[in-house]
Amino acid sequence: MEGLSERQYAARVGLSRGAIQKAKATGRVVLHGDGSIDAVASDALRAEATDPSKTRKAPQPKLKPVPEAAVSAVGETLREQGMAAPPVGSGTTFLQAKTANEVLKAQERRIRLQKLKGELIDRARALSLVFRLARQERDVWVNWPARAAALMAADLGVEPAAMQKVLEKHVRAQLDDLAEVKPDLR
């Protein structure tokens, strides 16, 4: 066999065997003496005879640009794990992205397991508890001068009202200083 069979040529040009048979019957395919298809000559003949607007074009993959944040997240994940990360702006290989994805999945599974074991707590709930405890402590300190002033005034032999006023002033100053402390719960 000098050329290609109908099946082979159909696979080469991306058409069905029936379409090649029709083209053969209408003389749009060049044949060798043994009846096989001359691929090069047939491609040229088909290109001349075919209306470009009626051809099926091979689907072009629609590649979306990857956001820079995603690329930098891949690099950051790889660096956190002590792996080689691409320099910023140089692009990420598929292998690096896949590795980062697997690392993140493993981290996520570990976190889920720690939650199930009760080793982790909800961040919002923890913040709420810390805030509530701080408020309770502040309220105790605000009320303390009224309770302790009379006892301290008796021990020192001073006027209870004056003692309470001084204590309140110093407790409020201390609470103002503590209010500036912001807990970092990362």
Side-chain angles (χ1 to χ4, degrees):
M1 198 159 138
E2 264 183 82
L4 301 176
S5 69
E6 290 174 353
R7 260 196 189 98
Q8 290 170 329
Y9 187 67
R12 172 190 162 121
V13 295
L15 296 173
S16 68
R17 183 174 176 227
I20 298 303
Q21 288 173 338
K22 284 181 187 177
K24 194 174 177 183
T26 59
R28 292 180 286 149
V29 176
V30 179
L31 301 175
H32 287 289
D34 63 354
S36 63
I37 299 172
D38 181 350
V40 175
S42 294
D43 288 346
L45 182 62
R46 281 185 56 245
E48 288 175 19
T50 306
D51 180 4
S53 66
K54 304 217 185 223
T55 60
R56 279 191 226 150
K57 294 180 175 70
Q60 295 295 323
K62 294 180 181 177
L63 299 177
K64 296 179 184 175
V66 178
E68 187 59 37
V71 174
S72 65
V74 167
E76 190 175 307
T77 301
L78 293 172
R79 275 190 290 280
E80 284 176 2
Q81 297 303 312
M83 299 173 161
V88 177
S90 70
T92 301
T93 66
F94 178 75
L95 182 59
Q96 289 170 324
K98 183 117 174 107
T99 302
N101 184 45
E102 293 301 317
V103 166
L104 289 173
K105 286 194 305 190
Q107 289 173 344
E108 184 180 22
R109 284 188 203 112
R110 186 187 67 218
I111 289 170
R112 268 198 223 130
L113 184 60
Q114 286 174 328
K115 273 187 179 178
L116 288 173
K117 288 180 175 180
E119 295 171 359
L120 292 180
I121 59 171
D122 181 35
R123 179 185 176 97
R125 184 168 179 254
L127 285 171
S128 174
L129 287 171
V130 168
F131 181 77
R132 193 174 75 219
L133 286 172
R135 177 169 279 169
Q136 287 173 347
E137 188 165 343
R138 184 206 64 195
D139 292 345
V140 167
W141 276 105
V142 166
N143 294 325
W144 179 76
R147 286 179 311 179
L151 296 172
M152 293 173 81
D155 286 347
L156 296 173
V158 295
E159 187 65 35
M163 180 61 120
Q164 183 174 344
K165 200 172 205 176
V166 169
L167 281 175
E168 284 177 353
K169 179 179 118 184
H170 289 289
V171 166
R172 293 242 179 240
Q174 179 64 17
L175 289 175
D176 287 343
D177 289 344
L178 289 175
E180 293 176 14
V181 175
K182 302 290 182 204
D184 185 14
L185 301 176
R186 278 190 258 169

